[in-house]
Amino acid sequence: MDAELRKIALTTPQYAVLAYLNIEPGASNAALARQAFVTPQTMQAILVTLEKSGFIKRTPHPEHGRMQKTELTPSGEHALHAASAIVADIEALLVDAAAPLNPQVVATTLIRFANALR
């Protein structure tokens, strides 16, 4: 997935950020770090890169002075759409590789593993 996402100038953690912001616009740095399995310091670097690329915008949080709200820009939505197609293709390869196991059981198991590591 990393190699394919690099072709559109994204990393896997950057894709994770864009995907989460699509679901949770305005998410905090800490929430994004948890979702991407990185430290808050690493997330800050990821956000700076995404902001410089024009994929996100950050604005001061209206209630919490030190926090910033992070949201997708139209360019970020376009990048997410392109990345999501790549990820869907890779997921299809994994489903095929898991055959004859039920893909839903495999996905549920992997999600349980990921949650156990949080």
Side-chain angles (χ1 to χ4, degrees):
M1 190 160 67
D2 286 330
E4 292 301 311
L5 288 173
R6 268 193 295 275
K7 292 177 183 177
I8 60 167
L10 283 177
T11 65
T12 300
Q14 289 171 337
Y15 165 73
V17 169
L18 297 179
Y20 190 66
L21 287 173
N22 192 52
I23 297 167
E24 290 290 331
S28 69
N29 182 330
L32 292 167
R34 282 190 298 275
Q35 288 298 316
F37 294 100
V38 299
T39 65
Q41 295 82 1
T42 300
M43 181 52 62
Q44 180 61 26
I46 291 169
L47 293 175
V48 166
T49 301
L50 288 172
E51 191 170 32
K52 285 181 180 178
S53 298
F55 295 154
I56 63 167
K57 65 178 178 180
R58 297 190 290 173
T59 56
H61 193 283
E63 298 168 10
H64 304 285
R66 293 181 57 209
M67 287 178 56
Q68 290 190 321
K69 289 177 31 179
T70 305
E71 299 176 301
L72 291 175
T73 64
S75 293
E77 291 173 2
H78 178 73
L80 174 60
H81 180 74
S84 293
I86 290 168
V87 171
D89 289 346
I90 292 168
E91 287 175 351
L93 289 172
L94 292 174
V95 167
D96 289 346
L101 300 174
N102 179 324
Q104 190 60 42
V105 172
V106 173
T108 300
T109 303
L110 291 173
I111 290 169
R112 287 178 56 206
F113 289 163
N115 287 334
L117 295 174
R118 288 186 182 176

